[in-house]
Amino acid sequence: MTKPEISKLGYVSLVSTDLEKSLVFFKEVIGLEETEVMDGVHYLRAWGDFQHHTLSIRQGDRAYVSHIGWRTKQKEDVLAFKELLENEGINVQRIEPWTTPGIGEAIRFTVPSGHTFELYYDVKKPAADEKRASVLKNQTYKAWAKGISPRRIDHVNLHTAEDWKETYSFFQDVLGFKLREYLKEDDSNQILAGWMSVTALVHDVALVSRQKDELPTPARLHHLSYWVDDSQDVLRAADICREHGLNFCGPGKHSISQALYLYVADPGSGCTVEVFSGGYLIFEPDWEPVAWNASERAFGNTYWGDSITKKEIIKHTIEA
């Protein structure tokens, strides 16, 4: 029997302690479009995202990520994953179709890193209203309508204080992620950070292993990332952040992934967003993961530009 597969990152479910500030940030600064508001939850997506939403935000008494959604390759994969996960001893919650607007039947579970994942296949792809719709048939909204205006969601970066061997094994052997690049201890094979994907991207998810005393809670979200088309868009993002009085890190370029970056935090939730562009794609079926040593960490993080190792803004994580 063929193992079930994940096709892509779907959405992030965010809880904010100041919903009003978060909505201004994500709608006016980042430039996401709102597709629906239901029961106090706001559903947003970028102008090139097709499914109902790639981010949901609601008010809460603390800031955290409720769960991270991933779309499977086939409808049958959802229940196939349920069976596979239960055979691994994972408790799986079944979510009735359309309980979450735009999302069909789903399963939700906690991975060994401590993060909550959701898997689903069926989605709704609502059209934009006439005033916001693009004239392009292969694009949802007009580009550049407001804010930084990213094309699509790109990846999430997760931190965990749980066992690194069990966590990386689960992501690869059970969920099917491929390790593309990784950071390890100089004198051992202990993985400190791994960049993994189910697509041709260098990473759909990055996972960073941290000691328990370094994290307030075992499972954290370091950042979520939205993709812009080119380097000029990243520079434009810096102008927009400055106009809104927001501190940011970047622009710069990672050695790992070779991508351009800018990091800025949502004032409402504290959630950091990476504006992301460039990099490379992986099409080789026999790709060998690229290893970086801990002594190369600063260079791996910053090839050139504003060093992320010196910026407090991206050291901030929220509970996930």
Side-chain angles (χ1 to χ4, degrees):
M1 180 179 175
T2 304
K3 291 182 67 173
E5 296 179 274
I6 296 172
S7 66
K8 63 184 286 289
L9 173 63
Y11 73 99
V12 173
S13 177
L14 178 65
V15 181
S16 173
T17 53
D18 193 325
L19 180 61
E20 184 177 352
K21 284 184 178 179
S22 290
L23 290 175
V24 170
F25 175 77
F26 282 105
K27 294 169 66 175
E28 304 305 324
V29 180
I30 301 299
L32 301 184
E33 298 280 356
E34 188 170 79
T35 55
E36 188 173 357
V37 182
M38 181 176 288
D39 299 327
V41 184
H42 294 253
Y43 297 92
L44 311 173
R45 59 181 174 175
W47 58 260
D49 286 325
F50 293 100
Q51 75 174 46
H52 180 272
H53 61 278
T54 52
L55 178 69
S56 67
I57 316 174
R58 63 179 173 86
Q59 179 70 40
D61 58 4
R62 60 188 177 89
Y64 67 99
V65 171
S66 171
H67 57 273
I68 300 166
W70 302 85
R71 194 177 184 200
T72 62
K73 283 195 172 182
Q74 301 180 81
K75 182 180 179 68
E76 295 77 14
D77 286 340
V78 177
L79 294 184
F81 264 118
K82 181 176 184 296
E83 181 179 356
L84 176 62
L85 291 163
E86 289 176 338
N87 288 339
E88 292 287 329
I90 303 293
N91 183 44
V92 179
Q93 178 187 5
R94 193 167 178 177
I95 310 296
E96 290 297 318
W98 319 118
T99 301
T100 300
I103 303 295
E105 182 180 30
I107 59 171
R108 205 171 288 174
F109 55 96
T110 301
V111 298
S113 64
H115 300 86
T116 300
F117 279 10
E118 180 181 273
L119 301 180
Y120 59 90
Y121 177 78
D122 288 329
V123 296
K124 292 181 180 177
K125 301 178 181 181
D129 64 51
E130 186 177 352
K131 290 183 179 179
R132 295 188 294 167
S134 172
V135 297
L136 291 170
K137 293 183 178 182
N138 52 9
Q139 183 172 306
T140 312
Y141 298 93
K142 295 180 175 72
W144 315 115
K146 56 182 179 176
I148 294 168
S149 192
R151 177 182 288 268
R152 59 171 174 79
I153 195 170
D154 192 84
H155 66 266
V156 288
N157 183 301
L158 309 178
H159 285 197
T160 182
E162 302 297 349
D163 181 81
W164 69 273
K165 285 185 178 180
E166 180 184 1
T167 297
Y168 281 99
S169 176
F170 183 89
F171 271 70
Q172 294 176 82
D173 299 338
V174 179
L175 297 182
F177 285 92
K178 296 179 181 179
L179 186 64
R180 305 303 199 175
E181 301 197 47
Y182 65 100
L183 180 75
K184 69 178 188 67
E185 291 283 9
D186 287 8
D187 54 359
S188 75
N189 290 321
Q190 179 178 346
I191 297 179
L192 303 175
W195 287 257
M196 295 176 284
S197 69
V198 290
T199 66
L201 300 176
V202 175
H203 64 315
D204 298 299
V205 59
L207 185 65
V208 180
S209 304
R210 305 293 294 268
Q211 298 298 314
K212 290 185 183 295
D213 58 1
E214 292 183 12
L215 294 178
T217 53
R220 311 287 293 182
L221 173 77
H222 186 270
H223 65 264
L224 65 91
S225 176
Y226 276 91
W227 170 272
V228 293
D229 283 349
D230 59 37
S231 58
Q232 186 60 44
D233 296 336
V234 179
L235 298 178
R236 178 174 170 272
D239 285 348
I240 291 170
C241 290
R242 181 59 68 213
E243 288 287 351
H244 283 84
L246 297 170
N247 294 323
F248 57 89
C249 172
K253 181 175 180 177
H254 295 303
S255 297
I256 298 170
S257 81
Q258 299 184 31
L260 301 175
Y261 63 78
L262 180 140
Y263 296 89
V264 60
D266 163 31
S269 68
C271 175
T272 297
V273 175
E274 181 183 24
V275 179
F276 197 75
S277 189
Y280 65 95
L281 300 175
I282 298 172
F283 298 107
E284 287 76 8
D286 57 349
W287 179 263
E288 291 292 330
V290 177
W292 298 76
N293 290 322
S295 56
E296 302 171 300
R297 188 170 201 153
F299 177 68
N301 284 337
T302 308
Y303 182 46
W304 55 257
D306 196 2
S307 174
I308 67 174
T309 59
K310 298 178 181 178
K311 292 289 184 175
E312 290 298 324
I313 190 169
I314 62 151
K315 294 179 181 178
H316 181 74
T317 63
I318 64 171
E319 184 179 348

